[in-house]
Amino acid sequence: MKIISKHKSNLIDRTEVTAELIHTGTPPPTTTEVKSQLAKSLNVDENLIIIKLIDTKFGHGLSRVNAYVYNNIDELKRTEVKQKKKKEKKQEAPK
């Protein structure tokens, strides 16, 4: 993993990171794989990283990653939008 840019946000207590990942001959990396590799290279906890985008061009073997690295868990919870839970569909009784 090669980190291209880091930008410290003054308004929000986080760092915006752009990185490139080379995966020639293998499928694109999953979000959890990218999160663990970013955590190792930046020496931060995986729970403080939010992956915003993994952009892979077809046939290139190169992915560009945009991520936010928060300084504490409170700022992460305050800033990030919570995911909505999917509702279970009710099954109709057989007629």
Side-chain angles (χ1 to χ4, degrees):
M1 175 173 285
K2 177 183 173 186
I3 296 180
I4 297 171
S5 70
K6 281 179 165 181
H7 179 261
K8 175 81 171 132
S9 176
N10 294 330
L11 184 60
I12 303 172
D13 200 15
R14 71 179 179 200
T15 304
E16 298 170 12
V17 177
T18 303
E20 282 186 346
L21 233 143
I22 299 172
H23 53 85
T24 308
T26 60
T30 63
T31 304
T32 53
E33 291 171 353
V34 171
K35 205 181 255 195
S36 66
Q37 287 183 9
L38 260 177
K40 285 180 187 176
S41 63
L42 297 173
N43 296 324
V44 295
D45 185 21
E46 285 185 28
N47 297 326
L48 298 176
I49 298 174
I50 300 293
I51 304 295
K52 285 295 179 182
L53 175 73
I54 300 175
D55 184 31
T56 304
K57 302 288 185 209
F58 181 76
H60 286 256
L62 181 85
S63 294
R64 181 167 277 212
V65 177
N66 292 339
Y68 294 149
V69 180
Y70 288 88
N71 292 335
N72 57 42
I73 197 77
D74 297 328
E75 188 68 27
L76 183 141
K77 288 180 181 177
R78 189 173 66 94
T79 307
E80 289 298 318
V81 177
K82 294 179 183 174
Q83 301 266 338
K84 291 184 179 180
K85 293 182 181 179
K86 292 183 179 179
K87 293 182 181 179
E88 293 181 19
K89 293 183 179 180
K90 294 181 182 178
Q91 293 179 349
E92 294 181 14
K95 296 181 180 179

